[in-house]
Amino acid sequence: MDYRFDVISAAEHDRLEALYEPFAQAMRELVDAGVRTEVDPQTIAEATAAVEAITASLRREQRDGPHAMVHADTRRPVVWANPVVGLRNALAPPLVIEHTDDGRCFSEFTLGAAYEGPLGWVHGGICALVLDHILGEVASGALHEPRYTGTITCRYRRGTPLGALRAEAYVDRTEGIKTFARGHISDGEGITVEAEGVFITPAWARDAG
Amino acid sequence: MDYRFDVISAAEHDRLEALYEPFAQAMRELVDAGVRTEVDPQTIAEATAAVEAITASLRREQRDGPHAMVHADTRRPVVWANPVVGLRNALAPPLVIEHTDDGRCFSEFTLGAAYEGPLGWVHGGICALVLDHILGEVASGALHEPRYTGTITCRYRRGTPLGALRAEAYVDRTEGIKTFARGHISDGEGITVEAEGVFITPAWARDAG
């Protein structure tokens, strides 16, 4: 596979962020409107043609394979294409994950109509997606150390309503190459889904320990 | 919450499908191009404005709350907004789920750049999203009987590559209100992630049994 790897300066990072963030946000609004609109067929047909024209203009220059970027100052990966936290990915709500001094992670975010499973509730798999990500992020020390999901279990205590939500995660313990993380999603009234996961340091990264 | 419930005829179903399917597909292409494009800032800025204009045209008439639709002939829910299988949802790959005579479900689908976690690999949480959905669908008898996820465990045997994939699921056993389902995702070389889940018949649906 054709990988590209770039280290980007803080200035370049901020310039690209200011460019891509409003664009991805516009795409998110479009996706939301796309599942909710009730306009006439003619307007839908026109929207389809207009979206296709925009896509053609974007595809004039595009990457084919994976593209790794690392921030020159923080040395953290810049994961703008990620489907949970990616600044450039319209699939991502996106979650902005905060890291506390004691090693925990949390994020406050909002899920709208495009994330609905049962009527009025977040799709259970979307909860699993969010939890897999935030547990993985806390297990990997804010993405400083590569760790992949080995096993994850989600327990659904009750439905998770669409709207304002919070996710948090922490490392429970570490045993050799295994990091055990726990976390949950909550709404204003408490926990809706809890998760525990085992995250594994990949073989290629074990020597670096 | 303001629910709407419609039973739609086969003809209306097919008319709406022909209208919305190309539109959602165009949005999916846009999302993919959005994470991959390397065009100049001016083109991105123009694309942002153009997307905002389309969204405004779609929002002139849109639903605010959940909207349930049932197909008049099949009596199955029409879940076009669903983030895994939804015809109208650009977040959904979408999976088209086939039901075999012996009660199993399977789907062949393709995941591109917008579903990437580690470079070149599907995000682990996206695998969990797909598995939660297909296990839930087989557990609920093709959505004929409402069942919600109680617990789901995903075991990641190895990375799931971006590209052509297959998911399948079956009911392992049923104990009272609990349905135990199992399934996996595979690529051309075998299983990458396996899952087991317990799905629960909600209290409001238990009398109907």
Side-chain angles (χ1 to χ4, degrees), chain A residues 1-6 62-70 78-82 88 148, chain B residues 32 35-38 111-123 160-163:
Chain A
M1 211 178 309
D2 179 30
Y3 279 77
R4 229 174 68 208
F5 182 83
D6 291 326
Q62 69 179 7
R63 64 176 170 86
D64 281 326
H67 181 195
M69 283 202 298
V70 169
V78 176
V79 291
W80 283 344
N82 187 283
R88 285 184 63 170
Y148 298 149
Chain B
D32 177 81
V35 297
R36 295 170 58 197
T37 190
E38 298 180 324
L111 297 180
Y115 301 94
E116 187 181 50
L119 291 184
W121 305 102
V122 178
H123 190 295
T160 301
L162 292 175

Side-chain angles (χ1 to χ4, degrees), chain B residues 4-17 20 67-80 87:
Chain B
R4 230 175 66 208
F5 182 83
D6 291 325
V7 178
I8 61 170
S9 68
E12 178 70 354
H13 176 278
D14 295 352
R15 185 187 72 78
L16 292 173
E17 185 175 63
Y20 288 127
H67 181 195
M69 283 201 300
V70 170
H71 191 289
D73 296 348
T74 66
R75 290 282 149 188
R76 285 188 61 194
V78 175
V79 291
W80 283 344
L87 178 87

Side-chain angles (χ1 to χ4, degrees), chain A residues 4 29 37-38 58-59, chain B residues 4 29 37-38 58-59:
Chain A
R4 229 174 68 208
E29 290 287 329
T37 191
E38 299 181 323
L58 297 170
R59 290 215 191 277
Chain B
R4 230 175 66 208
E29 291 287 331
T37 190
E38 298 180 324
L58 297 170
R59 289 214 191 280

Side-chain angles (χ1 to χ4, degrees), chain A residues 2 6 21 26 40 58 63 73 77 80 89 96 117 121 123 125-126 129 139 144 148-149 166 170 186 191 194 203 207:
Chain A
D2 179 30
D6 291 326
E21 199 286 329
D40 59 284
L58 297 170
R63 64 176 170 86
D73 296 349
W80 283 344
N89 192 335
V96 177
W121 305 102
H123 190 295
I126 294 289
L129 168 63
H144 278 289
Y148 298 149
T149 318
R166 180 185 167 95
Y170 62 95
S186 55
I191 294 176
E194 51 195 358
D207 294 336

Side-chain angles (χ1 to χ4, degrees), chain A residues 1 3-4 15 19-20 22-24 26-48 50-52 54-55 57-68 79-84 88-91 113-121 123-126 128-130 132-133 148-157 162, chain B residues 1 3-4 15 19-20 22-24 26-48 50-52 54-55 57-68 79-84 88-91 113-121 123-126 128-130 132-133 148-157 162:
Chain A
M1 211 178 309
Y3 279 77
R4 229 174 68 208
R15 185 186 72 77
L19 181 66
Y20 289 127
F23 177 45
M27 287 191 289
R28 283 179 200 112
E29 290 287 329
L30 176 66
V31 170
D32 177 81
V35 297
R36 294 170 58 197
T37 191
E38 299 181 323
V39 294
D40 59 284
Q42 178 62 25
T43 305
I44 300 285
E46 285 166 10
T48 306
V51 169
E52 286 170 349
I54 298 166
T55 303
S57 77
L58 297 170
R59 290 215 191 277
R60 282 201 294 264
E61 253 181 276
Q62 69 179 7
R63 64 176 170 86
D64 281 326
H67 181 195
V79 291
W80 283 344
N82 187 283
V84 179
R88 285 184 63 170
N89 192 335
L91 270 55
Y115 301 94
E116 187 181 52
L119 292 184
W121 305 102
H123 190 295
I126 294 289
L129 168 63
V130 164
D132 173 80
H133 189 90
Y148 298 149
T149 318
T151 307
I152 187 165
T153 298
C154 298
R155 280 188 196 83
Y156 296 79
R157 291 196 190 177
L162 293 175
Chain B
M1 210 177 310
Y3 281 76
R4 230 175 66 208
R15 185 187 72 78
L19 181 66
Y20 288 127
F23 178 46
M27 289 191 286
R28 283 180 200 113
E29 291 287 331
L30 175 67
V31 170
D32 177 81
V35 297
R36 295 170 58 197
T37 190
E38 298 180 324
V39 294
D40 60 283
Q42 178 63 26
T43 304
I44 299 285
E46 285 166 10
T48 306
V51 169
E52 286 169 349
I54 298 166
T55 303
S57 77
L58 297 170
R59 289 214 191 280
R60 280 202 296 264
E61 251 182 277
Q62 67 179 9
R63 64 178 171 86
D64 280 327
H67 181 195
V79 291
W80 283 344
N82 187 284
V84 179
R88 286 183 61 171
N89 192 333
L91 270 55
Y115 301 94
E116 187 181 50
L119 291 184
W121 305 102
H123 190 295
I126 293 289
L129 168 62
V130 164
D132 173 80
H133 188 90
Y148 298 149
T149 319
T151 308
I152 186 165
T153 298
C154 298
R155 280 188 194 84
Y156 296 78
R157 291 197 189 177
L162 292 175

